[in-house]
């Protein structure tokens, strides 16, 4: 089961979420330390940024697929700006 997004980079560089789906709840001390429920802990900053946007990337790709964008272009698909923002976020910590 996929853990629902949004995901984000936590207090110490790990990837966290407020969701407990697929994870189970953390205790208060763990939530305070990490800033959320941990998706992954040992990860480089650039990979953390990419992992954190993974649920949104999947959602946009699913929308494109469901809309038949691979067969033809139609109205209602995610905008170029949304795609550009996700790409920018994924590269946020890359140097």
């Amino acid at each position: 089961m996929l853990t629902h997004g949004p995901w984000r980079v936590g207090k110490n560089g790990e990837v966290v979420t407020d969701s407990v789906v697929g994870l189970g709840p953390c205790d208060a001390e763990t939530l305070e330390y990490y800033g959320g429920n941990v998706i992954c802990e040992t990860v480089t900053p650039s990979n953390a940024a990419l992992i954190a946007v993974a649920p949104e990337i999947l959602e946009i790709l699913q929308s494109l697929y469901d809309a038949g964008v691979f067969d033809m272009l139609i109205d209602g698909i995610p905008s170029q700006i949304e795609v550009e923002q996700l790409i920018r976020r994924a590269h946020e910590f890359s140097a």
Side-chain angles (χ1 to χ4, degrees):
M1 174 180 287
L2 293 175
T3 301
H4 299 293
W7 297 355
R8 63 188 178 281
V9 178
K11 291 181 177 181
N12 305 295
E14 60 288 302
V15 178
V16 299
T17 183
D18 293 327
S19 176
V20 296
V21 174
L23 298 172
C26 291
D27 60 66
E29 184 178 324
T30 301
L31 285 173
E32 175 61 28
Y33 179 78
Y34 291 109
N37 294 300
V38 177
I39 300 292
C40 64
E41 185 175 6
T42 305
V43 60
T44 64
S46 57
N47 287 335
L50 177 59
I51 293 166
V53 296
E56 294 165 89
I57 292 170
L58 177 59
E59 184 179 326
I60 286 175
L61 289 175
Q62 187 67 56
S63 295
L64 292 170
Y65 178 82
D66 292 345
V69 77
F70 299 107
D71 299 324
M72 66 181 132
L73 295 176
I74 60 170
D75 292 329
I77 61 173
S79 72
Q80 182 178 357
I81 292 171
E82 289 175 298
V83 173
E84 289 172 356
Q85 288 172 344
L86 284 174
I87 291 169
R88 193 170 22 260
R89 283 181 53 204
H91 291 288
E92 187 174 310
F93 294 99
S94 297

